[in-house]
Structure formats: C-alpha cells, structure tokens
C-alpha cells in the first residue's frame, strides 16, 4: 500500500517513523515535489498580481512623491497593499574608514555604527592551532536543524 501525503499528515509522527525507509523516502520526495509546485504556483500568481497592479502603484507613488514604503488602494472591494521596503547597502570598506576616523577623533565608533565581527568557518579551520587558540574563547558553535536525505542504494 502506498501512503498518500494526506495519510502521512494524519498519522502521528511516531507512527510515520514506523513505516519503511522506502515509503518514507517516497513520501518525502512527493512532499518536496508538492512544495516546489506550490512555490512555483505562488510565484506565478504573485507575478500576475504584480502585472495587474504595478501601473497603479507606480502612478500612486508618483502622485504621493513616495519612492518606497506602503501604498494602499481599493479594487472592487479588495484592499491592495504594496510595500516597497528600503534596503540600504553600506560599503563596508568606507564604513571601516569612517569608524577609524571617529576613533582617531576620540569618539566611540559604536555610538554611530553597529559593528559586527565574523570569522569564516572555512578560514578558521584552516588556521594553525596557535592562531585558533587565540580566537577560541570568542567562538561558540551552534548547530542548525538536522536534515536527512533518503536515496536508493546503487546495486
């Protein structure tokens, strides 16, 4: 018997864990395909909505002198809300220079800037042990959500 997605969803997680590996693999692949199709459909519908309302939104933005932010209007009893958020991108090299100038003038750059330090894990693991030891107290290793991929063994 082949388990449907609806049946799998209705099962307790313990019961679902009890089905065969092949059936879990099959239903996982079916769910992934379902999700891909749903995302594609949502993108398609969102594209149609954008095509329908973009001219009106552009016109309203021009009238209101509003390059970004939220625009609301009604269409046949439906409230249409378009949000065009600001997404500033800061030049990191220039900000670093500004932070150095602020510090050189005696002020604290942290009063003006959010400063974040990162170390790429690939670089960290390639460092010699003596360098890693210096950074070790500042490093906390967290883990993400575990994932499992099921595939058929090659014979």
């Amino acid at each position: 018997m082949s388990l449907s997605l609806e049946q799998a969803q209705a099962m307790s997680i313990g019961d679902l864990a009890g089905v065969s590996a092949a059936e879990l693999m099959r239903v996982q692949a079916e769910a992934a395909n379902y999700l891909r199709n749903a995302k594609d459909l949502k993108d398609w519908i969102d594209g149609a909505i954008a095509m329908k309302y973009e001219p009106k939104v552009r016109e309203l933005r021009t009238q209101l002198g509003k390059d970004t932010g939220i625009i609301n209007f009604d269409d046949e009893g439906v409230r249409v809300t378009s949000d065009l958020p600001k997404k500033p991108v800061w030049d990191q090299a220039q900000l670093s220079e500004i932070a150095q100038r602020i510090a050189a003038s005696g002020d604290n750059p942290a009063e003006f800037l959010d400063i974040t330090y990162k170390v790429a894990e690939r670089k960290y693991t390639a460092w010699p042990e003596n360098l890693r030891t210096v950074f070790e107290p500042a490093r906390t290793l967290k883990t993400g959500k575990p994932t499992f991929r099921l595939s058929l063994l090659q014979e």
Side-chain angles (χ1 to χ4, degrees), residues 27-104:
V27 78
Q28 182 187 47
E30 189 177 332
N33 189 49
Y34 184 84
L35 181 60
R36 249 188 325 278
N37 290 339
K39 286 181 179 179
D40 289 347
L41 177 59
K42 183 176 182 317
D43 289 346
W44 184 256
I45 293 168
D46 288 347
I49 291 169
M51 181 180 277
K52 178 176 181 112
Y53 293 117
E54 190 57 41
K56 175 73 173 177
V57 168
R58 195 174 17 255
E59 176 188 322
L60 287 172
R61 285 195 185 285
T62 300
Q63 288 174 6
L64 297 170
K66 219 175 156 180
D67 293 335
T68 59
I70 296 174
I71 298 287
N72 292 301
F73 62 94
D74 296 337
D75 182 20
E76 299 176 359
V78 173
R79 171 57 52 112
V80 177
T81 300
S82 173
D83 185 10
L84 184 58
K86 291 180 184 177
K87 197 171 183 179
V89 177
W90 295 90
D91 182 298
Q92 297 302 298
Q94 289 186 44
L95 286 179
S96 177
E97 290 174 15
I98 292 168
Q100 289 173 12
R101 289 197 308 263
I102 291 170

Side-chain angles (χ1 to χ4, degrees), residues 102-117:
I102 291 170
S105 72
D107 289 319
N108 181 358
E111 291 180 22
F112 306 97
L113 303 166
D114 292 332
I115 300 172
T116 302
Y117 298 100

